[in-house]
Amino acid sequence: MDLERQKHMADSFRTRFGAEPQLWARAPGRVDLMGSHTDYNLGYVLTLPISRDTWMAVRKNGARNVRLHAANLNEDDCFPLDEIEKATSTKWSNYVRGVAAVLQSEGLQTDGFDAVIHSTVPLEAGLSSSAALECVTAVVFRELGGWDMEAKAMATLCQRAENQFVGVNCGILDQYSSCLGQSDCALLLDCRDLSTRTVRIADGICVVICNTMSPRRLSGSEYALRRADCERGAAILGVSCLRDVPSEVLAARRHELPEQVAKRCEFIVAESARAESLAAALEAGNREAVARLCAESFAGARDLYEICSPAMEAMNTAMLGAPGVLGARQAGAGFGGCMVAIVEALNADEFGEAVIESYQRASGLRAEVYRVEAAPGAAIFQPQHENASV
Ligand code: GLA
């Protein structure tokens, strides 16, 4: 499959740019296994960088511009490196433009290049296709420019591109996951000091993403409203972020908060603790704890944080009714998009079939189901030779 993908991209590169690509880079999407909206509260999140990724086939063009072809959308874009403005029609190119602008503001060399982009991360579905594009772009500029930068610093700059250039006030989760992924393990990320603990999921347990196929818009006002509620809660409680609020303190001072703010705070404080607990449960293969933690997380997302849509509720029911399910919950920012299930690996196929069938009956929508593995973070890779077996 990878060889076919590579061949398609190389063909498309030749057709558009009349030469061979000289450099290949990739960056993964991610799914959060636990820790919805905890990142901007500087809490914990258990994240899995996934085996669905964004590739760029690249050639330095010797000019001061970047020419792009987005294979998934069949769209082209070109922008000058010396006067980077926001694109209004090819919005996806703002992730590339934003990274270029931020790198320049750091005094880093940015060279013009031509690129074909292809992604197997479903677009706008809550699996961080945008962060994957930002991070693969940063890797390409780093390689072409010949400068060095650690993955953590790169994640932070890509987040800044999204916050300041694209204008989405996200936390660090997506870019961190895409830059720092490792094969074979999930990452328990401490969003305060950006340290991680690697978490090996016990044998026999796998991760299956279920896409509700009902669209989601992150830059919509709801995300910003949740953030504002959390900040308000922290301010009333006299701390700089909800990470600093122990659950006993929240329980004792809950009455000081407006009801909606109290609900948001309750969810975040519990969800951050659940991220740590789920890490331990997955490592130990403690199925009872996995089920309980995921159920608590979904209930909190629905009743306290209020980020669930009717499609998500239908999907949660479908996932919980499917064979081999251990736990099921929301993923990403919520409001539609993808959800995530922890499943007995032996049952993964029948799980997927059952979810598609019962979700369709309940919602009229045809779900997509992706079994995913852990994947390494953004990097250059060597293309396979065309005569290698597929
Ligand atoms: C989006 C944001 C992340 C994070 C999640 C919710 O993916 O980009 O920073 O806040 O939502 O956990």
Side-chain angles (χ1 to χ4, degrees), residues 30 32 35-40 45 126-128 130-131 159 162 168-175 216 218 223 227 305 307 329 331-334:
R30 65 96 191 91
D32 51 304
S36 293
H37 295 257
T38 51
D39 64 347
Y40 53 80
V45 53
L127 300 179
S128 291
S130 47
Q159 180 198 13
E162 180 130 1
V168 176
N169 201 15
C170 62
I172 190 67
L173 167 64
D174 308 344
Q175 293 78 12
R216 168 215 68 109
L218 174 62
Y223 187 85
R227 245 190 120 135
Y305 220 62
I307 52 172
R329 63 182 285 282

Side-chain angles (χ1 to χ4, degrees), residues 90-123:
T90 50
K91 291 220 162 104
W92 52 271
S93 95
N94 285 326
Y95 301 110
V96 179
R97 292 172 183 230
V99 169
V102 165
L103 295 176
Q104 287 176 358
S105 73
E106 290 293 299
L108 293 160
Q109 181 180 327
T110 50
D111 296 294
F113 64 85
D114 300 335
V116 169
I117 307 165
H118 178 260
S119 190
T120 55
V121 186
L123 306 180

Side-chain angles (χ1 to χ4, degrees), residues 1 3 41 57 63 78 114 147 172 192 217 232 264 284 298 300 316 379 385:
M1 240 173 64
L3 185 57
N41 290 294
C78 177
D114 300 335
W147 39 268
I172 190 67
R192 163 125 67 195
R217 289 260 177 266
R232 185 145 173 238
R264 309 293 192 243
F298 183 73
N316 203 57
H385 288 294

Side-chain angles (χ1 to χ4, degrees), residues 8-9 17 21 25 48 54 100 110 119 124 133 161 179 190 233 250 278 289 330 338 340 355 359:
H8 276 131
M9 289 177 69
F17 304 119
L48 186 75
T54 298
T110 50
S119 190
E124 298 192 338
L133 181 51
C179 285
D190 177 339
L250 181 59
L278 187 71
Q330 70 285 356
C338 287
V340 62
V355 163
Y359 178 70

Side-chain angles (χ1 to χ4, degrees), residues 34 38-39 42-47 152 171-177 180 186-199 243 272 275-276 279:
M34 187 62 75
T38 51
D39 64 347
L42 306 191
Y44 287 95
V45 53
L46 181 62
T47 176
K152 242 181 235 183
I172 190 67
L173 167 64
D174 308 344
Q175 293 78 12
Y176 190 98
S177 308
L180 283 109
L187 304 172
L188 179 64
L189 165 62
D190 177 339
C191 298
R192 163 125 67 195
D193 65 8
L194 299 191
S195 62
T196 39
R197 177 162 94 63
T198 54
V199 174
R243 165 66 176 272
S272 179
E276 292 184 274

